[in-house]
C-alpha cells in the first residue's frame, strides 16, 4: 500500500516562496513518475510539474521559471520549490504517483490528501 503525505503549505505574501514536501511510503515501483497538482475551489485539478525516475522533469507554462520539482530518492521525498508566488497560485496542492510522465491526473494511481497554499 502506497501512502503520500504532503506538507509545507501555508500563507505567504505575493512574491514570496514556499517549499512543499511529499513523503512517500510503501511499495512504489522504482520507475514511477511523481507529480504536483493544484486545485482551486470550483476549478479542475491542474498539473504543475512532474518528474520521472530518470530525473526528466516537465512543467506547466504557468509555473515554468518559478517552480522547481525535485526528488530525494534516498528519502523517498518529493519537493516543489515555489518562488515568486502570485494570488492565482492559491489552491490545494497535491502530490501524486503514477506510471506515466503526464499532465492528466487520471493517469496517476496514488494521491496525497493535499496541503493548502494561500497567497495574498
Amino acid at each position: 500500500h502506497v501512502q503520500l503525505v504532503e506538507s509545507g503549505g501555508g500563507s505567504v505574501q505575493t512574491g514570496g516562496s514556499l517549499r512543499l514536501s511529499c513523503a512517500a511510503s510503501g511499495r512504489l515501483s522504482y520507475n514511477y513518475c511523481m507529480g504536483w497538482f493544484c486545485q482551486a475551489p470550483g476549478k479542475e485539478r491542474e498539473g504543475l510539474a512532474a518528474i520521472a525516475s530518470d530525473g526528466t522533469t516537465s512543467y506547466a507554462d504557468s509555473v515554468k521559471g518559478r517552480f522547481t520539482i525535485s526528488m530525494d530518492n534516498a528519502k523517498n521525498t518529493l519537493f516543489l520549490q515555489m518562488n515568486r508566488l502570485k494570488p492565482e497560485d492559491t489552491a490545494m496542492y497535491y502530490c501524486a504517483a503514477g506510471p506515466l510522465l503526464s499532465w492528466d491526473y487520471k493517469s496517476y494511481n496514488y494521491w496525497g490528501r493535499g496541503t493548502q497554499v494561500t497567497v495574498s
Side-chain angles (χ1 to χ4, degrees):
H1 178 68
V2 174
Q3 189 174 18
L4 303 176
V5 180
E6 302 94 337
S7 61
S11 297
V12 66
Q13 290 187 336
T14 298
S17 298
L18 282 174
R19 190 191 195 203
L20 305 184
S21 299
C22 171
S25 60
R27 287 192 173 185
L28 193 62
S29 174
Y30 75 97
N31 61 347
Y32 256 50
C33 298
M34 303 286 294
W36 286 100
F37 292 76
C38 72
Q39 189 167 18
K43 294 188 176 181
E44 284 193 359
R45 193 162 294 192
E46 177 187 356
L48 301 173
I51 186 166
S53 58
D54 66 356
T56 300
T57 58
S58 182
Y59 295 93
D61 288 341
S62 60
V63 304
K64 206 171 287 184
R66 297 191 299 128
F67 292 6
T68 303
I69 189 171
S70 61
M71 183 77 184
D72 184 333
N73 291 310
K75 296 181 179 179
N76 279 347
T77 302
L78 180 73
F79 299 100
L80 185 68
Q81 177 67 43
M82 306 189 295
N83 299 327
R84 290 185 281 140
L85 283 161
K86 306 174 183 179
E88 50 263 45
D89 294 320
T90 296
M92 186 70 79
Y93 283 67
Y94 300 89
C95 70
L100 300 174
L101 192 68
S102 170
W103 294 122
D104 185 355
Y105 68 87
K106 301 182 188 70
S107 69
Y108 286 80
N109 305 105
Y110 304 103
W111 290 88
R113 290 191 171 188
T115 185
Q116 177 69 36
V117 171
T118 302
V119 186
S120 60

